[in-house]
Amino acid sequence: MKKLLFLIPLLFLIHPAFGEISVQNDQTYIGDDGMLHIVGEIQNNSKAPLNKIKILAVLTDENGNVIDKINGGMMSNILMPGMKGGFDIITNERNLDENLSYDLGFEYKLAAPKSQVIEIVSSEMKRNQLNNLVISGTMENNGDITANMINVVATLYDRDGKVLTVSKIQTQPDFLRAGEESHFLVPIYEKNQSLSVVDYTIIAESD
């Protein structure tokens, strides 16, 4: 599947150089919902945090005719320098064709500097009683104030390093006091995709 990557900056400031922000490890799959998913990651190798990142996908057939256009977003709100963020675009297509191609692009805004204070202390991937994959672990607030509205995002990879699926939860309770730890549990909803997982990453962020 061919890919065309392009940047559409939304702020007239000093933007990261071309190539410092890129799409990586993307692929498609048919989900348990019967819909076509495009999953992957945005890599931020610039020195600036990014937010309001939108992923733009254009599906074309073997003749170059546009089948569908979809807008999606990243699972995390801010992408810090040096970090990756997963995305999952759900399309209206229910059948994969071997000649189907997609082009990916993205939009973004530059964010104000922000410390990454929510640290993943430990995590474990395992099967529950229903043979569904879950990732559990502990996170700690290393900041000076209470963190609110905490999201935990899990990205799963196959043996080739491609993204299999991305899952996100908002923790309950939705706050974590400075210096304290809390448990989290992220269910992986795409059961078929989870059968091929060999690695994963976990990130946590607050507002």
Side-chain angles (χ1 to χ4, degrees):
M1 297 183 181
K2 66 180 181 180
K3 304 183 290 291
L4 175 64
L5 308 181
F6 54 93
L7 296 175
I8 309 176
L10 296 182
L11 291 180
F12 296 99
L13 299 174
I14 299 176
H15 294 286
F18 183 82
E20 289 185 345
I21 304 168
S22 60
V23 176
Q24 296 182 358
N25 304 322
D26 55 293
Q27 63 178 335
T28 62
Y29 72 88
I30 297 295
D32 296 339
D33 54 7
M35 308 299 284
L36 173 65
H37 293 239
I38 302 176
V39 291
E41 295 175 301
I42 298 292
Q43 172 74 53
N44 181 11
N45 284 330
S46 74
K47 296 180 179 180
L50 309 177
N51 70 355
K52 297 185 179 180
I53 300 175
K54 295 182 180 179
I55 315 298
L56 315 173
V58 179
L59 303 180
T60 55
D61 61 20
E62 58 181 335
N63 298 315
N65 299 314
V66 175
I67 301 172
D68 204 355
K69 294 182 179 180
I70 311 103
N71 292 337
M74 278 184 44
M75 294 289 189
S76 53
N77 296 318
I78 293 183
L79 186 57
M80 301 296 290
M83 294 184 64
K84 295 179 181 179
F87 62 83
D88 182 358
I89 303 174
I90 304 175
T91 79
N92 295 318
E93 299 301 315
R94 291 183 174 271
N95 296 302
L96 271 174
D97 186 280
E98 62 179 1
N99 296 313
L100 177 70
S101 297
Y102 62 91
D103 298 334
L104 291 178
F106 50 86
E107 301 175 350
Y108 63 88
K109 286 187 176 181
L110 301 182
K114 178 183 178 182
S115 299
Q116 188 73 17
V117 298
I118 307 298
E119 178 187 354
I120 301 297
V121 178
S122 64
S123 66
E124 178 186 15
M125 182 170 61
K126 59 184 178 181
R127 301 274 174 182
N128 62 17
Q129 298 91 331
L130 300 176
N131 200 34
N132 294 318
L133 194 65
V134 296
I135 299 176
S136 61
T138 303
M139 59 185 176
E140 182 179 10
N141 180 2
N142 291 323
D144 298 324
I145 61 175
T146 297
N148 297 299
M149 305 294 290
I150 300 172
N151 296 317
V152 180
V153 181
T155 305
L156 276 62
Y157 305 90
D158 63 18
R159 64 178 62 256
D160 297 318
K162 298 288 188 179
V163 174
L164 284 167
T165 188
V166 186
S167 188
K168 174 182 176 179
I169 59 134
Q170 186 173 91
T171 61
Q172 296 295 332
D174 60 359
F175 65 90
L176 183 59
R177 294 184 177 88
E180 293 188 354
E181 293 186 354
S182 178
H183 183 75
F184 65 84
L185 180 69
V186 183
I188 308 303
Y189 300 105
E190 295 289 350
K191 194 166 186 176
N192 288 334
Q193 289 298 102
S194 71
L195 297 176
S196 301
V197 62
V198 298
D199 199 8
Y200 70 93
T201 59
I202 291 281
I203 60 172
E205 65 174 9
S206 70
D207 63 355

